[in-house]
Amino acid sequence: MTNKMWGGRFQAGPDAIMEEINASIGFDRRLFLQDIAGSTAHVAMLAEQGIISKADANRIRRGLAAVQAEIEAGKFTFSRALEDIHLNVESRLKELIGPAAGRLHTARSRNDQVAVDFRLYVRDAIDHLDGQLKDLQRALAAKAQAHAATIMPGFTHLQVAQPVTFGHHCLAYVEMLARDRSRLVDARRRMNQSPLGAAALAGTSFPIDRHATARALGFDGPTRNSLDSVADRDFVLETLAAAAICATHLSRLAEEIVIWSTSQFGFVKLSDKFTTGSSIMPQKRNPDAAELVRAKPGRILGALTALLVVMKGLPLTYSKDMQEDKEPAFDAFDNLSLAIAATTGMVKDLTPNVETMRQAAAGGFSTATDLADWLVRTLKMPFRDAHHVTGSLVALAEKKGCGLPELSLAELRTVEKRITRDVYKVLTVEASVASRRSFGGTAPANVRREAKRWLKLLEA
């Protein structure tokens, strides 16, 4: 049987396996809102330009609204034989309004139609993700404000390095997420041009107004080259790249939550809302939400890689290969959205174990740098010499099995005779964090000020 939508050239229907590989309605049906919005803008322009009658345009608009209502109500029957969302909508439109439906496709192609649909979808996805990331930033900034003076160990190489505050640590992720949002916003700005009207690849001989359809769909303007308009998938690639970086940031925080919630660290506790148990070990409380967030970058980076591989060798303009752009992108954006939501929930839910973190911060000779800085400031010692003296004192304390504050003044003077009792003032973790007042530093006053600034920005 001939396919009624494009079958004039064909005398027989496709083989069953051809239909199986060719159909995309199983996944592109989720573009129905964008497809109907693009069609509505297109038909209004056709009528305004006198390309079709206003009466036909009104019938088409009403019919499209009816199709949308059916899909939203779950009453629409999707057909694999009609391949994709575009032909499914158009076929149902013809059933509803008759021959006038055939005028809808005047001066456009499925090539520019899918290009505009997908841009609208990705644009909507960016707006949704941006709102979610803003909520996560707000949760982190609120946690930072509440724990501006809560001391924890700062790590390098996962070894105790210097004392920091938990609030400062939370604000580090606020900064990462700000960059993620800026990348998404930048991708949105660059992609916000309408390919509608590029038709199959060469433009059209009809007197269309591409600026009008671009305005109607919220684009900044139309794309300027018809070949690039239908061949371009940069907008998806760029958004997926931003999504992969964002997912990596979420994964780093998730990994820290996994580590912090172990009995070995005991820095934070998650409630039953974000943990699971074991089928055999009744004592277990597993941070499964964090572990799943930690895994999500694999899927999202995979989507980016898959689409890069699809696009890398395609000649201009459209090839059916590009149908493979949607499923990975849909999956990536869905999973990033879920990961953000789960991370926001965990941040709000977790309770820091304040004393445990403070004790851990005091271990590992974490105030050694403070001692070296004191030697430089007070004894005017070159930093490299101060570093050597401090290293010798750390070795002494390690040999005695104590911390730097537990060394007697006499023991300190065996390495540097000019050390005075004032040195003990800088060897506490409280003094250490309080002294880090440089711009961007971990001092509680800094953290309170920065958390307040971020919360104000995020409310704007």
Side-chain angles (χ1 to χ4, degrees):
M1 182 177 69
T2 300
N3 186 311
K4 295 179 181 179
M5 306 305 289
W6 50 266
R9 169 68 175 81
F10 293 80
Q11 301 305 311
D15 187 85
I17 197 66
M18 177 61 190
E19 182 176 307
E20 183 69 23
I21 196 172
N22 194 48
S24 60
I25 190 60
F27 53 85
D28 71 12
R29 66 178 63 187
R30 69 190 297 170
L31 295 176
F32 76 91
L33 284 175
Q34 291 81 12
D35 192 70
I36 291 171
S39 292
T40 302
H42 182 67
V43 76
M45 179 275 296
L46 292 177
E48 190 64 29
Q49 294 298 107
I51 299 171
I52 68 173
S53 71
K54 292 190 184 301
D56 279 344
N58 287 333
R59 279 191 283 271
I60 292 170
R61 278 199 296 265
R62 287 194 296 269
L64 288 170
V67 172
Q68 179 174 326
E70 287 182 3
I71 297 175
E72 290 176 333
K75 297 178 180 179
F76 189 94
T77 301
F78 292 98
S79 168
R80 287 182 63 80
L82 292 172
E83 298 181 14
D84 56 33
I85 187 61
H86 322 301
L87 296 186
N88 270 265
V89 169
E90 189 175 336
S91 177
R92 178 58 179 151
L93 181 67
K94 186 176 181 181
E95 291 174 355
L96 291 173
I97 70 170
R103 303 190 186 280
L104 172 60
H105 210 54
T106 306
R108 75 173 184 183
S109 160
R110 281 194 294 176
N111 293 356
D112 63 336
Q113 191 177 357
V114 70
V116 75
D117 288 3
F118 206 15
R119 282 188 190 235
L120 289 171
Y121 174 85
V122 174
R123 194 177 70 181
D124 290 343
I126 288 172
D127 292 344
H128 174 70
L129 292 169
D130 182 70
Q132 285 190 294
L133 289 170
K134 184 177 181 180
D135 289 342
L136 177 51
Q137 283 183 294
R138 189 180 292 114
L140 285 161
K143 194 70 74 171
Q145 190 175 53
H147 291 279
T150 298
I151 296 171
M152 67 175 292
F155 298 94
T156 61
H157 310 279
L158 204 55
Q159 305 293 315
V160 173
Q162 293 176 311
V164 297
T165 65
F166 183 65
H168 194 54
H169 201 105
C170 290
L171 289 176
Y173 284 100
V174 175
E175 295 288 336
M176 293 184 212
L177 297 172
R179 295 194 296 275
D180 292 327
R181 292 180 65 197
S182 72
R183 275 184 282 269
L184 288 169
V185 169
D186 197 41
R188 189 192 196 283
R189 177 189 59 79
R190 206 170 354 267
M191 63 161 281
N192 202 38
Q193 295 179 318
S194 173
L196 189 59
L201 75 161
T204 178
S205 59
F206 289 97
I208 62 173
D209 184 350
R210 294 189 63 210
H211 292 274
T213 51
R215 282 193 302 272
L217 293 169
F219 289 107
D220 296 330
T223 52
R224 303 188 72 89
N225 183 284
S226 60
L227 297 171
D228 181 56
S229 299
V230 299
D232 167 46
R233 290 299 183 269
D234 291 5
F235 64 94
V236 195
L237 290 168
E238 188 172 5
T239 306
L240 285 172
I245 297 171
C246 178
T248 301
H249 289 154
L250 299 180
S251 183
R252 295 183 74 177
L253 176 54
E255 166 70 354
E256 294 197 307
I257 292 173
V258 169
I259 292 172
W260 292 344
S261 62
T262 62
S263 58
Q264 290 82 0
F265 272 71
F267 286 4
V268 300
K269 182 178 180 180
L270 289 169
S271 76
D272 295 349
K273 295 178 181 178
F274 290 94
T275 55
T276 65
S278 165
S279 63
I280 191 172
M281 295 169 284
Q283 82 281 10
K284 294 295 293 297
R285 180 189 291 272
N286 300 321
D288 281 9
E291 291 173 2
L292 289 166
V293 169
R294 185 174 60 183
K296 292 299 182 185
R299 298 176 72 142
I300 297 165
L301 181 59
L304 172 61
T305 304
L307 186 52
L308 283 167
V309 172
V310 167
M311 298 301 297
K312 71 172 182 61
L314 295 186
L316 296 183
T317 54
Y318 182 83
S319 296
K320 194 70 170 183
D321 311 49
M322 292 162 69
Q323 184 168 290
E324 293 296 313
D325 59 357
K326 294 172 197 65
E327 283 186 284
F330 292 158
D331 183 79
F333 300 146
D334 288 348
N335 277 281
L336 180 57
S337 176
L338 182 58
I340 297 169
T343 305
T344 303
M346 285 188 290
V347 168
K348 291 179 178 178
D349 181 71
L350 66 82
T351 303
N353 294 323
V354 176
E355 185 54 33
T356 300
M357 288 199 291
R358 189 207 168 280
Q359 290 178 8
F365 308 103
S366 65
T367 57
T369 307
D370 299 276
L371 172 56
D373 290 346
W374 183 89
L375 293 170
V376 171
R377 283 194 308 270
T378 306
L379 304 184
K380 309 305 179 186
M381 188 179 291
F383 182 78
R384 287 301 171 197
D385 293 344
H387 187 284
H388 180 76
V389 168
T390 302
S392 298
L393 289 171
V394 167
L396 176 61
E398 195 170 37
K399 185 178 180 180
K400 289 180 61 65
C402 67
L404 288 171
E406 284 74 54
L407 289 174
S408 68
L409 183 58
E411 288 169 330
L412 294 172
R413 284 175 171 171
T414 62
V415 176
E416 172 50 60
K417 63 182 179 181
R418 294 178 294 165
I419 292 177
T420 68
R421 190 167 297 279
D422 282 348
V423 74
Y424 290 106
K425 294 178 181 178
V426 304
L427 296 183
T428 66
V429 290
E430 289 79 9
S432 178
V433 297
S435 71
R436 309 293 171 182
R437 295 185 297 271
S438 58
F439 186 81
T442 192
N446 285 14
V447 175
R448 290 189 187 96
R449 184 167 56 248
E450 194 64 12
K452 182 178 179 181
R453 185 187 75 87
W454 267 115
L455 288 168
K456 185 177 180 180
L457 281 173
L458 293 165
E459 289 301 323

